[in-house]
Amino acid sequence: MDELILQDAELVEPPVSPQKLAILEIAQVLFTERGYDGVSIRDLAQQCGLAKATIYHHFRDKEELFFCVLEHDLLTLHNQVMQFVDAEQPPLVKLRASLEAYYHLLRERRTGVMWSIQENIQLKTHLHTFFRRHMDFILGP
């Protein structure tokens, strides 16, 4: 998994190729619709119009892909919230905009987390570690 990088006091994703970004976006939709156990690399490759080997070129396995989707979503959310926090607006306007960004992520993108927690006990342990490692990043803004 590519680790987030601290750059100019902000966390950023390492450069991502357009192909890898497209895989992340399609995987996010599939995880949301089908849950973790309902997605296979073969299905993802078909949806992307790519060979399975291309998916494996970018991601070691489905678990790494899933956590990369989570990191991508968290970074997207963080960047949106930070835009609101840094804006010259009254505190209540910033708070409302930040809450709406969190709501959008939970409602529209969902990242399949809630379904995956219920479906896969091994993933549940890794998810706990993932969120513990990113807690300051998630709640910082």
Side-chain angles (χ1 to χ4, degrees):
M1 201 172 350
D2 297 331
E3 290 294 319
L4 298 176
I5 301 170
L6 187 61
Q7 177 180 319
D8 298 328
E10 220 175 279
L11 285 173
V12 296
E13 267 180 317
V16 178
S17 71
Q19 187 177 56
K20 185 174 182 178
L21 184 60
I23 293 168
L24 287 171
E25 291 294 325
I26 292 170
Q28 191 278 330
V29 170
L30 292 177
F31 284 132
T32 298
E33 290 175 354
R34 303 178 187 177
Y36 182 83
D37 288 337
V39 175
S40 71
I41 296 297
R42 183 180 46 128
D43 293 339
L44 176 61
Q46 286 176 342
Q47 289 288 323
C48 293
L50 301 170
K52 280 178 27 176
T54 304
I55 306 293
Y56 285 116
H57 170 75
H58 292 288
F59 306 97
R60 181 179 60 249
D61 55 22
K62 183 169 83 168
E63 185 174 307
E64 180 184 42
L65 171 65
F66 179 76
F67 283 99
C68 284
V69 168
L70 285 178
E71 282 188 347
H72 178 71
D73 278 356
L74 289 176
L75 182 63
T76 300
L77 170 68
H78 179 78
N79 289 339
Q80 289 173 354
V81 169
M82 291 310 295
Q83 285 178 346
F84 300 127
V85 169
D86 293 340
E88 293 293 325
Q89 296 289 333
L92 287 178
V93 172
K94 291 180 185 184
L95 179 61
R96 180 183 177 99
S98 298
L99 290 173
E100 286 175 357
Y102 276 100
Y103 174 77
H104 175 74
L105 178 74
L106 292 174
R107 184 158 195 286
E108 301 299 325
R109 295 192 59 89
R110 291 190 298 258
T111 65
V113 172
M114 299 315 290
W115 295 274
S116 297
I117 289 172
Q118 302 302 323
E119 295 173 3
N120 190 308
I121 194 69
Q122 180 184 3
L123 192 63
K124 191 175 191 175
T125 303
H126 291 112
L127 223 58
H128 179 72
T129 303
F130 174 86
F131 282 110
R132 229 185 19 222
R133 189 175 77 227
H134 290 86
M135 190 59 66
D136 289 339
F137 178 69
I138 296 166
L139 299 177

Tab-separated table of all heavy atoms in Angstrom, residues 2-48:
chain	number	residue	atom	x	y	z
A	2	ASP	N	0.598	2.204	-0.836
A	2	ASP	CA	1.342	3.451	-0.825
A	2	ASP	C	0.956	4.218	0.424
A	2	ASP	O	-0.215	4.371	0.727
A	2	ASP	CB	0.997	4.303	-2.055
A	2	ASP	CG	1.398	3.618	-3.352
A	2	ASP	OD1	2.362	2.845	-3.328
A	2	ASP	OD2	0.732	3.870	-4.373
A	3	GLU	N	1.949	4.663	1.155
A	3	GLU	CA	1.671	5.418	2.359
A	3	GLU	C	1.428	6.883	2.017
A	3	GLU	O	2.014	7.420	1.075
A	3	GLU	CB	2.855	5.316	3.337
A	3	GLU	CG	3.007	3.948	3.953
A	3	GLU	CD	1.853	3.569	4.864
A	3	GLU	OE1	1.387	4.432	5.631
A	3	GLU	OE2	1.418	2.411	4.801
A	4	LEU	N	0.581	7.517	2.787
A	4	LEU	CA	0.351	8.944	2.629
A	4	LEU	C	1.634	9.664	3.012
A	4	LEU	O	2.371	9.238	3.890
A	4	LEU	CB	-0.801	9.392	3.520
A	4	LEU	CG	-2.146	8.735	3.210
A	4	LEU	CD1	-3.188	9.175	4.224
A	4	LEU	CD2	-2.608	9.054	1.819
A	5	ILE	N	1.923	10.774	2.364
A	5	ILE	CA	3.159	11.517	2.557
A	5	ILE	C	2.837	12.867	3.173
A	5	ILE	O	1.894	13.546	2.750
A	5	ILE	CB	3.863	11.740	1.201
A	5	ILE	CG1	4.180	10.394	0.538
A	5	ILE	CG2	5.123	12.569	1.373
A	5	ILE	CD1	4.649	10.522	-0.887
A	6	LEU	N	3.642	13.277	4.175
A	6	LEU	CA	3.493	14.605	4.754
A	6	LEU	C	4.269	15.581	3.888
A	6	LEU	O	5.475	15.455	3.714
A	6	LEU	CB	4.028	14.621	6.191
A	6	LEU	CG	3.793	15.903	6.970
A	6	LEU	CD1	2.295	16.172	7.099
A	6	LEU	CD2	4.416	15.810	8.342
A	7	GLN	N	3.562	16.563	3.319
A	7	GLN	CA	4.187	17.526	2.424
A	7	GLN	C	3.601	18.900	2.724
A	7	GLN	O	2.392	19.090	2.647
A	7	GLN	CB	3.915	17.125	0.977
A	7	GLN	CG	4.436	18.075	-0.057
A	7	GLN	CD	4.101	17.570	-1.454
A	7	GLN	OE1	4.195	16.395	-1.744
A	7	GLN	NE2	3.703	18.490	-2.306
A	8	ASP	N	4.468	19.838	3.066
A	8	ASP	CA	4.017	21.197	3.399
A	8	ASP	C	2.917	21.157	4.455
A	8	ASP	O	1.875	21.796	4.325
A	8	ASP	CB	3.512	21.938	2.159
A	8	ASP	CG	4.596	22.125	1.109
A	8	ASP	OD1	5.778	22.268	1.511
A	8	ASP	OD2	4.273	22.105	-0.084
A	9	ALA	N	3.144	20.371	5.514
A	9	ALA	CA	2.222	20.242	6.651
A	9	ALA	C	0.861	19.696	6.239
A	9	ALA	O	-0.135	19.900	6.902
A	9	ALA	CB	2.058	21.580	7.366
A	10	GLU	N	0.813	18.991	5.100
A	10	GLU	CA	-0.429	18.406	4.634
A	10	GLU	C	-0.166	16.981	4.164
A	10	GLU	O	0.881	16.709	3.575
A	10	GLU	CB	-0.965	19.232	3.453
A	10	GLU	CG	-2.450	19.404	3.492
A	10	GLU	CD	-2.918	20.317	2.381
A	10	GLU	OE1	-2.809	21.533	2.559
A	10	GLU	OE2	-3.392	19.808	1.369
A	11	LEU	N	-1.082	16.074	4.427
A	11	LEU	CA	-0.924	14.713	3.947
A	11	LEU	C	-1.411	14.630	2.512
A	11	LEU	O	-2.480	15.126	2.181
A	11	LEU	CB	-1.722	13.742	4.824
A	11	LEU	CG	-1.109	13.444	6.173
A	11	LEU	CD1	-2.068	12.614	7.006
A	11	LEU	CD2	0.213	12.739	6.053
A	12	VAL	N	-0.598	14.012	1.670
A	12	VAL	CA	-0.958	13.842	0.268
A	12	VAL	C	-0.667	12.415	-0.162
A	12	VAL	O	0.183	11.749	0.403
A	12	VAL	CB	-0.197	14.831	-0.654
A	12	VAL	CG1	-0.578	16.256	-0.349
A	12	VAL	CG2	1.310	14.636	-0.531
A	13	GLU	N	-1.388	11.966	-1.171
A	13	GLU	CA	-1.122	10.665	-1.768
A	13	GLU	C	0.123	10.777	-2.627
A	13	GLU	O	0.358	11.813	-3.240
A	13	GLU	CB	-2.281	10.265	-2.693
A	13	GLU	CG	-3.323	9.437	-2.047
A	13	GLU	CD	-4.437	9.072	-3.023
A	13	GLU	OE1	-4.880	9.934	-3.797
A	13	GLU	OE2	-4.858	7.928	-2.969
A	14	PRO	N	0.904	9.703	-2.688
A	14	PRO	CA	1.980	9.706	-3.676
A	14	PRO	C	1.355	9.856	-5.058
A	14	PRO	O	0.171	9.576	-5.233
A	14	PRO	CB	2.622	8.333	-3.512
A	14	PRO	CG	2.116	7.790	-2.233
A	14	PRO	CD	0.835	8.488	-1.921
A	15	PRO	N	2.115	10.296	-6.050
A	15	PRO	CA	1.541	10.428	-7.391
A	15	PRO	C	0.879	9.118	-7.827
A	15	PRO	O	1.423	8.036	-7.643
A	15	PRO	CB	2.754	10.739	-8.268
A	15	PRO	CG	3.762	11.318	-7.332
A	15	PRO	CD	3.521	10.662	-5.998
A	16	VAL	N	-0.319	9.252	-8.369
A	16	VAL	CA	-1.099	8.090	-8.791
A	16	VAL	C	-1.368	8.222	-10.281
A	16	VAL	O	-1.824	9.267	-10.739
A	16	VAL	CB	-2.438	8.017	-8.015
A	16	VAL	CG1	-3.276	6.851	-8.485
A	16	VAL	CG2	-2.184	7.930	-6.529
A	17	SER	N	-1.090	7.150	-11.018
A	17	SER	CA	-1.343	7.176	-12.458
A	17	SER	C	-2.850	7.243	-12.714
A	17	SER	O	-3.648	6.807	-11.881
A	17	SER	CB	-0.764	5.920	-13.114
A	17	SER	OG	-1.529	4.779	-12.764
A	18	PRO	N	-3.236	7.778	-13.851
A	18	PRO	CA	-4.671	7.816	-14.176
A	18	PRO	C	-5.294	6.419	-14.166
A	18	PRO	O	-6.435	6.248	-13.742
A	18	PRO	CB	-4.712	8.432	-15.578
A	18	PRO	CG	-3.445	9.214	-15.687
A	18	PRO	CD	-2.433	8.473	-14.861
A	19	GLN	N	-4.547	5.413	-14.606
A	19	GLN	CA	-5.057	4.042	-14.614
A	19	GLN	C	-5.310	3.542	-13.191
A	19	GLN	O	-6.352	2.966	-12.908
A	19	GLN	CB	-4.074	3.121	-15.334
A	19	GLN	CG	-4.598	1.728	-15.540
A	19	GLN	CD	-3.629	0.876	-16.321
A	19	GLN	OE1	-2.469	0.738	-15.922
A	19	GLN	NE2	-4.093	0.322	-17.441
A	20	LYS	N	-4.378	3.797	-12.281
A	20	LYS	CA	-4.542	3.368	-10.898
A	20	LYS	C	-5.704	4.108	-10.243
A	20	LYS	O	-6.495	3.511	-9.502
A	20	LYS	CB	-3.257	3.596	-10.110
A	20	LYS	CG	-3.313	3.052	-8.698
A	20	LYS	CD	-1.967	3.167	-8.001
A	20	LYS	CE	-2.025	2.579	-6.602
A	20	LYS	NZ	-0.725	2.624	-5.930
A	21	LEU	N	-5.827	5.390	-10.526
A	21	LEU	CA	-6.941	6.174	-9.983
A	21	LEU	C	-8.277	5.627	-10.481
A	21	LEU	O	-9.233	5.503	-9.709
A	21	LEU	CB	-6.788	7.648	-10.359
A	21	LEU	CG	-7.811	8.597	-9.785
A	21	LEU	CD1	-7.782	8.585	-8.257
A	21	LEU	CD2	-7.555	10.007	-10.290
A	22	ALA	N	-8.345	5.263	-11.752
A	22	ALA	CA	-9.581	4.687	-12.301
A	22	ALA	C	-9.904	3.364	-11.618
A	22	ALA	O	-11.068	3.086	-11.296
A	22	ALA	CB	-9.441	4.491	-13.810
A	23	ILE	N	-8.889	2.548	-11.354
A	23	ILE	CA	-9.101	1.277	-10.657
A	23	ILE	C	-9.647	1.544	-9.257
A	23	ILE	O	-10.600	0.888	-8.819
A	23	ILE	CB	-7.792	0.458	-10.594
A	23	ILE	CG1	-7.367	0.009	-11.985
A	23	ILE	CG2	-7.957	-0.744	-9.660
A	23	ILE	CD1	-5.946	-0.548	-12.061
A	24	LEU	N	-9.072	2.521	-8.551
A	24	LEU	CA	-9.543	2.858	-7.199
A	24	LEU	C	-10.996	3.298	-7.214
A	24	LEU	O	-11.786	2.894	-6.352
A	24	LEU	CB	-8.671	3.964	-6.586
A	24	LEU	CG	-7.273	3.572	-6.150
A	24	LEU	CD1	-6.465	4.817	-5.785
A	24	LEU	CD2	-7.322	2.596	-4.985
A	25	GLU	N	-11.352	4.129	-8.180
A	25	GLU	CA	-12.725	4.637	-8.250
A	25	GLU	C	-13.727	3.518	-8.551
A	25	GLU	O	-14.788	3.445	-7.930
A	25	GLU	CB	-12.831	5.750	-9.299
A	25	GLU	CG	-12.115	7.029	-8.914
A	25	GLU	CD	-12.740	7.722	-7.713
A	25	GLU	OE1	-13.969	7.691	-7.559
A	25	GLU	OE2	-11.972	8.304	-6.926
A	26	ILE	N	-13.400	2.661	-9.482
A	26	ILE	CA	-14.309	1.558	-9.817
A	26	ILE	C	-14.375	0.561	-8.662
A	26	ILE	O	-15.454	0.064	-8.323
A	26	ILE	CB	-13.886	0.892	-11.141
A	26	ILE	CG1	-14.114	1.885	-12.292
A	26	ILE	CG2	-14.653	-0.404	-11.370
A	26	ILE	CD1	-13.531	1.454	-13.621
A	27	ALA	N	-13.232	0.289	-8.030
A	27	ALA	CA	-13.217	-0.619	-6.874
A	27	ALA	C	-14.072	-0.057	-5.745
A	27	ALA	O	-14.798	-0.803	-5.081
A	27	ALA	CB	-11.783	-0.852	-6.398
A	28	GLN	N	-14.012	1.233	-5.536
A	28	GLN	CA	-14.808	1.861	-4.482
A	28	GLN	C	-16.288	1.619	-4.729
A	28	GLN	O	-17.032	1.265	-3.815
A	28	GLN	CB	-14.489	3.359	-4.416
A	28	GLN	CG	-15.046	4.085	-3.221
A	28	GLN	CD	-16.504	4.486	-3.379
A	28	GLN	OE1	-16.977	4.743	-4.471
A	28	GLN	NE2	-17.216	4.527	-2.281
A	29	VAL	N	-16.725	1.782	-5.957
A	29	VAL	CA	-18.130	1.553	-6.300
A	29	VAL	C	-18.501	0.089	-6.067
A	29	VAL	O	-19.542	-0.217	-5.470
A	29	VAL	CB	-18.414	1.967	-7.764
A	29	VAL	CG1	-19.794	1.519	-8.210
A	29	VAL	CG2	-18.256	3.475	-7.932
A	30	LEU	N	-17.648	-0.817	-6.513
A	30	LEU	CA	-17.935	-2.248	-6.347
A	30	LEU	C	-17.966	-2.639	-4.871
A	30	LEU	O	-18.854	-3.396	-4.452
A	30	LEU	CB	-16.913	-3.094	-7.102
A	30	LEU	CG	-16.970	-3.009	-8.627
A	30	LEU	CD1	-15.851	-3.848	-9.257
A	30	LEU	CD2	-18.325	-3.447	-9.153
A	31	PHE	N	-17.021	-2.158	-4.070
A	31	PHE	CA	-17.029	-2.472	-2.641
A	31	PHE	C	-18.293	-1.932	-1.976
A	31	PHE	O	-18.865	-2.566	-1.094
A	31	PHE	CB	-15.793	-1.907	-1.932
A	31	PHE	CG	-14.524	-2.682	-2.182
A	31	PHE	CD1	-13.359	-2.020	-2.536
A	31	PHE	CD2	-14.475	-4.061	-2.053
A	31	PHE	CE1	-12.183	-2.722	-2.753
A	31	PHE	CE2	-13.312	-4.776	-2.270
A	31	PHE	CZ	-12.145	-4.101	-2.630
A	32	THR	N	-18.732	-0.764	-2.400
A	32	THR	CA	-19.950	-0.179	-1.835
A	32	THR	C	-21.174	-1.010	-2.200
A	32	THR	O	-22.025	-1.287	-1.358
A	32	THR	CB	-20.130	1.274	-2.321
A	32	THR	OG1	-19.020	2.053	-1.869
A	32	THR	CG2	-21.414	1.882	-1.787
A	33	GLU	N	-21.257	-1.400	-3.454
A	33	GLU	CA	-22.422	-2.151	-3.921
A	33	GLU	C	-22.444	-3.594	-3.416
A	33	GLU	O	-23.502	-4.107	-3.065
A	33	GLU	CB	-22.442	-2.181	-5.456
A	33	GLU	CG	-22.755	-0.856	-6.090
A	33	GLU	CD	-22.639	-0.898	-7.610
A	33	GLU	OE1	-22.200	-1.932	-8.183
A	33	GLU	OE2	-22.989	0.109	-8.236
A	34	ARG	N	-21.286	-4.237	-3.372
A	34	ARG	CA	-21.237	-5.681	-3.128
A	34	ARG	C	-20.588	-6.090	-1.811
A	34	ARG	O	-20.645	-7.257	-1.449
A	34	ARG	CB	-20.458	-6.361	-4.248
A	34	ARG	CG	-21.024	-6.109	-5.625
A	34	ARG	CD	-20.166	-6.764	-6.657
A	34	ARG	NE	-20.578	-6.419	-8.001
A	34	ARG	CZ	-19.951	-6.823	-9.085
A	34	ARG	NH1	-18.887	-7.599	-8.990
A	34	ARG	NH2	-20.383	-6.467	-10.272
A	35	GLY	N	-19.922	-5.148	-1.137
A	35	GLY	CA	-19.166	-5.506	0.054
A	35	GLY	C	-17.843	-6.146	-0.327
A	35	GLY	O	-17.605	-6.477	-1.489
A	36	TYR	N	-16.991	-6.325	0.648
A	36	TYR	CA	-15.638	-6.838	0.401
A	36	TYR	C	-15.674	-8.228	-0.228
A	36	TYR	O	-15.009	-8.487	-1.235
A	36	TYR	CB	-14.854	-6.856	1.713
A	36	TYR	CG	-13.432	-7.329	1.565
A	36	TYR	CD1	-12.436	-6.445	1.157
A	36	TYR	CD2	-13.080	-8.645	1.834
A	36	TYR	CE1	-11.127	-6.863	1.015
A	36	TYR	CE2	-11.775	-9.076	1.692
A	36	TYR	CZ	-10.798	-8.186	1.292
A	36	TYR	OH	-9.498	-8.607	1.156
A	37	ASP	N	-16.427	-9.132	0.372
A	37	ASP	CA	-16.439	-10.513	-0.106
A	37	ASP	C	-17.139	-10.665	-1.455
A	37	ASP	O	-16.943	-11.665	-2.145
A	37	ASP	CB	-17.088	-11.443	0.926
A	37	ASP	CG	-16.204	-11.648	2.150
A	37	ASP	OD1	-14.974	-11.455	2.033
A	37	ASP	OD2	-16.736	-11.997	3.215
A	38	GLY	N	-17.917	-9.684	-1.859
A	38	GLY	CA	-18.631	-9.758	-3.128
A	38	GLY	C	-17.850	-9.246	-4.318
A	38	GLY	O	-18.362	-9.220	-5.437
A	39	VAL	N	-16.608	-8.835	-4.101
A	39	VAL	CA	-15.788	-8.283	-5.172
A	39	VAL	C	-14.602	-9.216	-5.408
A	39	VAL	O	-13.924	-9.608	-4.457
A	39	VAL	CB	-15.277	-6.872	-4.810
A	39	VAL	CG1	-14.321	-6.340	-5.879
A	39	VAL	CG2	-16.434	-5.912	-4.617
A	40	SER	N	-14.373	-9.543	-6.656
A	40	SER	CA	-13.177	-10.315	-7.009
A	40	SER	C	-12.307	-9.456	-7.930
A	40	SER	O	-12.795	-8.534	-8.584
A	40	SER	CB	-13.548	-11.614	-7.712
A	40	SER	OG	-14.038	-11.350	-9.011
A	41	ILE	N	-11.029	-9.787	-7.969
A	41	ILE	CA	-10.118	-9.069	-8.869
A	41	ILE	C	-10.551	-9.287	-10.319
A	41	ILE	O	-10.474	-8.365	-11.133
A	41	ILE	CB	-8.659	-9.526	-8.639
A	41	ILE	CG1	-8.199	-9.152	-7.216
A	41	ILE	CG2	-7.729	-8.924	-9.691
A	41	ILE	CD1	-8.160	-7.663	-6.915
A	42	ARG	N	-11.053	-10.463	-10.618
A	42	ARG	CA	-11.538	-10.747	-11.975
A	42	ARG	C	-12.697	-9.815	-12.332
A	42	ARG	O	-12.725	-9.219	-13.418
A	42	ARG	CB	-11.982	-12.201	-12.082
A	42	ARG	CG	-12.424	-12.595	-13.491
A	42	ARG	CD	-12.841	-14.032	-13.513
A	42	ARG	NE	-13.709	-14.271	-12.354
A	42	ARG	CZ	-14.907	-14.819	-12.405
A	42	ARG	NH1	-15.381	-15.247	-13.532
A	42	ARG	NH2	-15.643	-14.965	-11.333
A	43	ASP	N	-13.670	-9.659	-11.416
A	43	ASP	CA	-14.803	-8.750	-11.659
A	43	ASP	C	-14.312	-7.316	-11.852
A	43	ASP	O	-14.791	-6.607	-12.738
A	43	ASP	CB	-15.782	-8.771	-10.485
A	43	ASP	CG	-16.501	-10.092	-10.331
A	43	ASP	OD1	-16.574	-10.862	-11.309
A	43	ASP	OD2	-16.986	-10.358	-9.207
A	44	LEU	N	-13.385	-6.914	-10.997
A	44	LEU	CA	-12.849	-5.553	-11.087
A	44	LEU	C	-12.156	-5.337	-12.427
A	44	LEU	O	-12.362	-4.305	-13.077
A	44	LEU	CB	-11.887	-5.284	-9.928
A	44	LEU	CG	-11.177	-3.937	-9.940
A	44	LEU	CD1	-12.172	-2.782	-9.873
A	44	LEU	CD2	-10.182	-3.849	-8.803
A	45	ALA	N	-11.346	-6.302	-12.842
A	45	ALA	CA	-10.646	-6.185	-14.122
A	45	ALA	C	-11.642	-6.049	-15.269
A	45	ALA	O	-11.456	-5.216	-16.165
A	45	ALA	CB	-9.730	-7.389	-14.329
A	46	GLN	N	-12.715	-6.841	-15.235
A	46	GLN	CA	-13.734	-6.752	-16.275
A	46	GLN	C	-14.394	-5.381	-16.280
A	46	GLN	O	-14.600	-4.781	-17.331
A	46	GLN	CB	-14.793	-7.841	-16.091
A	46	GLN	CG	-14.316	-9.216	-16.469
A	46	GLN	CD	-15.362	-10.289	-16.185
A	46	GLN	OE1	-16.302	-10.079	-15.424
A	46	GLN	NE2	-15.187	-11.449	-16.803
A	47	GLN	N	-14.747	-4.877	-15.099
A	47	GLN	CA	-15.384	-3.558	-14.990
A	47	GLN	C	-14.460	-2.441	-15.490
A	47	GLN	O	-14.922	-1.456	-16.044
A	47	GLN	CB	-15.789	-3.266	-13.542
A	47	GLN	CG	-16.946	-4.081	-13.046
A	47	GLN	CD	-18.252	-3.652	-13.674
A	47	GLN	OE1	-18.499	-2.484	-13.912
A	47	GLN	NE2	-19.101	-4.629	-13.957
A	48	CYS	N	-13.156	-2.616	-15.263
A	48	CYS	CA	-12.170	-1.611	-15.681
A	48	CYS	C	-11.763	-1.767	-17.143
A	48	CYS	O	-11.126	-0.872	-17.706
A	48	CYS	CB	-10.918	-1.704	-14.813
A	48	CYS	SG	-11.158	-1.252	-13.093
